[in-house]
Amino acid sequence: MSVIVRDDLVLSHAVVTADVTAPFEHVDIEQWLKTLPTHEYQRCAPGDHKAAGYTVDDDGTPMSINVEMIGSGLVIQQYRYEVASPHYCKMVSISDVYSPAGWTTTQVIWELGIEQLEGDQLRYVNTVTSHPTEDFLKFIIGSGQTFEDAAAARQHASGAHCEVETPHYAQSIAAFANARAAEAAKA
């Protein structure tokens, strides 16, 4: 299946930050994502996050699979790791979206980054950008919506969702780093 992404159009864009305390040298967002248990993922956005898993694509590219509610849409994200490192990951998904009007697709770009402010004071930056696919544009026209209305709805839903999940992600990443530091101290 060939999907045409309209990266000249933005459905939504959110950048949300949260500060945490953890040893910067023990932060490993890539490993955290690859080992994120479903129940921890659910705790990061109670009610919205449904399931998480890790797999690889046919070509061996690591993937994070996330199932969540964004507004009234059930979104199944198949994130391919475009950049994977301890302090920054860029994930790109052609996501399946089920809404009350049926199925469609969008592209979602999820960027997870951690910055060292001072010592163990860190800032987690959660950036989520969504672009429509040609399928999505046909879908909204068939549903009687304009792109502007669809984008406004998605911006509101995605922005609100990111506000909920970002501090929880930050705390989970910090807990993962603190556990790694404790293991290193025992060794």
Side-chain angles (χ1 to χ4, degrees), residues 43-58:
R43 284 187 288 274
C44 289
D48 285 350
H49 285 181
K50 303 301 180 190
Y54 171 79
T55 189
V56 294
D57 207 346
D58 288 343

Side-chain angles (χ1 to χ4, degrees), residues 50-120:
K50 303 301 180 190
Y54 171 79
T55 189
V56 294
D57 207 346
D58 288 343
D59 65 0
T61 301
M63 294 177 66
S64 175
I65 307 297
N66 299 349
V67 180
E68 63 185 331
M69 293 296 297
I70 304 290
S72 63
L74 177 66
V75 185
I76 302 165
Q77 297 160 326
Q78 300 155 50
Y79 285 115
R80 291 173 57 92
Y81 287 67
E82 285 207 351
V83 177
S85 70
H87 300 121
Y88 175 77
C89 288
K90 180 179 181 182
M91 315 292 286
V92 180
S93 171
I94 299 299
S95 299
D96 295 302
V97 182
Y98 184 73
S99 74
W103 286 98
T104 189
T105 58
T106 62
Q107 180 195 58
V108 181
I109 302 168
W110 181 25
E111 296 175 84
L112 306 85
I114 200 98
E115 304 167 353
Q116 187 174 27
L117 301 175
E118 185 176 331
D120 287 349

